[in-house]
Amino acid sequence: LRTSGSAGCTCDAFTSSSTVTNLVKALGGKVEALDGVVVASIGPKTTETALAAGLKVTVTADEATIPGLVQALEKHFREGGS
């Protein structure tokens, strides 16, 4: 498995708690592989799961929908986030 950072990815967007759990499992628990990557969450529950797994969540959508997540990411990058 290539980690996100090694693949040149700048953002990992999580749309559910299970996506967090599955990626952490695929990484063998080595969440530091996502250091330097914008971690975005679709909402508070997913953010809670990501934080509990040791991820550093950069963006949490206000509205727990795909459009809400996209809007939160657009705002983050528009405001100079990296």
Side-chain angles (χ1 to χ4, degrees), residues 43-75:
K45 278 297 246 190
T46 304
T47 293
E48 182 180 311
T49 301
L51 292 173
L55 296 176
K56 298 171 189 148
V57 178
T58 312
V59 175
T60 300
D62 292 328
E63 180 185 322
T65 63
I66 296 296
L69 180 56
V70 170
Q71 183 178 30
L73 281 166
E74 286 176 336
K75 180 180 178 191

Side-chain angles (χ1 to χ4, degrees), residues 4-46:
S4 297
S6 69
C9 180
T10 59
C11 178
D12 279 333
F14 294 99
T15 57
S16 68
S17 289
S18 65
T19 59
V20 172
T21 302
N22 290 331
L23 180 61
V24 170
K25 183 178 177 182
L27 292 172
K30 297 178 182 175
V31 296
E32 64 275 2
L34 298 179
D35 286 352
V37 173
V38 172
V39 174
S41 164
I42 198 164
K45 278 297 246 190
T46 304

